[in-house]
Amino acid sequence: MPIDLLITNCSLLPEPGREQLIAPGFIAVSGSRILASGPMEECPSSTGGTVIDGQGDLAMPGLINGHCHAPMTLFRGMADDLALSSWLNEHIFPAEARHVSAEMAYWCSKLAAAEMLLSGTTTVADGYFFEEEVARAFAEAGLRAIPSQAIIDFPAPGVPDPGERLTRAASFLDAWQDQDPLISPALFAHAPYTCSAETLIRAKELARGRRVPLFLHLAETSQEHSLISSPQGATPTRHLDALGILDRDTICVHCVWVDDQDLDILADRECGVILCPQSNLKLASGIAPLPRMLERGIRVGLGTDGAASNNSLDLFKEMGLAAKIHKIPSLDPVAVPAEQILHAAARGGAAALGLADDLGALHPGKLADILLIDLHQPRMQPFYSPNTLVYSGSGHAVRSVIVHGRLVVEERQILSIDLEETKAHVLRLSGQVAQPELRSPP
């Protein structure tokens, strides 16, 4: 097979958190997939394709952002330092009712795509309204994505009649299934407290019928159970289990307030779980029990959540926080080692999303989603081990990004979209958003 792209002389991290560095190493790409990888002495001769000298760079798989609301870049910084209930009901839901449109979803998702690509995310699972526009923005940016149309039980942007929510979701699937190699559409039932039992069951039936994942927020706050209408179980997790919602193609996001029985259910049903530590800390929702999840073999990945509740889409920041916060409740400095966090951000995240066969490692046959990290940056030196990526890493260290065999970021410049045009459109849209009141310091 022809070699279309050859990366040479790099420090190669084939599977973060599981395999050792190979230095110097190489990666050969043919089309959209990795043809070969390994030590430089096994490197094939170039056959006319693009050659990148990776001297001084670390090559690793692209990061997997397992949960995002990309259009919400418009609301970054609009409602900070609030509890989740106040943040949602008094600020975010009203702002969405006024400002979310197809145009907003497209341009703000394009901005989110640029932010993620420039900081090393090559795959994102997104859930919001007007997801056909989100999918279009991601595809144009060259970002691999699982865009999921939101399903909710009250009037929502693009779906003024709640009775049309599932029809709207089905139309989205029809429009995007098997249309673009970067886009795998799915469904997003917002939460057990915003979707009735009937809605959840019908959403899962639709997802099963179309063989797509169903995403939902689960057990994000301690008050969630009291908000569920006619709960069928003692906890939100048991409520979903009683409805038959949980299985290998259900991805549960947050899972902060889950007890041992809930975790056993999630493990037995083989659900994927995505944790969003920065969003959970900012909204004071709590800390998800990651060590107990890993003990049970639950497939766990990391997500940034939306820019309105994080406020960054840099998954390196998520890794650093995730590796540290679990040390405090247990007073155990090795509660969750950095290697496990690296794994969760790459192959673990791919597994949680059902994509481990194709993503999360730089092995022959895998899709060519590759990062080149600049190890010459002061914050990255000395580089004794890949743990440095977790405790000192930053999206600013990402030099180049390849998605599906295509170079989309080169020397920290995004090649796939006009970033200045994108920022200008988002700036114009932000001018229509009411500015938050400035509070006096206490």
Side-chain angles (χ1 to χ4, degrees), residues 128 131-132 147-152 158-159 164-177 185-189 202-203 206-207 210 212 214:
Y128 207 63
E131 278 293 297
E132 67 281 353
S148 305
Q149 175 65 27
I151 297 168
I152 202 164
V159 196
E164 297 297 316
R165 58 197 177 280
L166 291 167
T167 302
R168 178 77 169 77
S171 296
F172 167 70
L173 296 179
D174 290 339
W176 278 95
Q177 278 190 294
L187 301 178
F188 168 49
R202 291 178 62 198
L206 177 59
R210 300 299 184 89
V212 301
L214 177 69

Side-chain angles (χ1 to χ4, degrees), residues 62-65 68 70 108-126 134-147 176 180-184 313 359 369 371 401-404 406-409 414 416-417:
L63 303 181
I64 313 288
N65 185 346
C68 188
C108 295
S109 294
K110 216 164 196 181
L111 181 67
E115 181 180 355
M116 286 187 274
L117 286 168
L118 287 166
S119 58
T121 288
T122 55
T123 298
V124 61
D126 191 77
V134 177
R136 184 164 70 95
F138 287 163
E140 290 176 6
L143 177 65
R144 192 180 305 282
I146 307 176
W176 278 95
D180 190 296
L182 293 179
I183 304 299
S184 301
L313 303 182
L359 300 175
D369 291 6
L371 306 184
V401 178
I402 294 145
V403 181
H404 209 68
R406 173 193 177 196
L407 189 64
V408 292
V409 173
I414 189 161
S416 52
I417 63 173

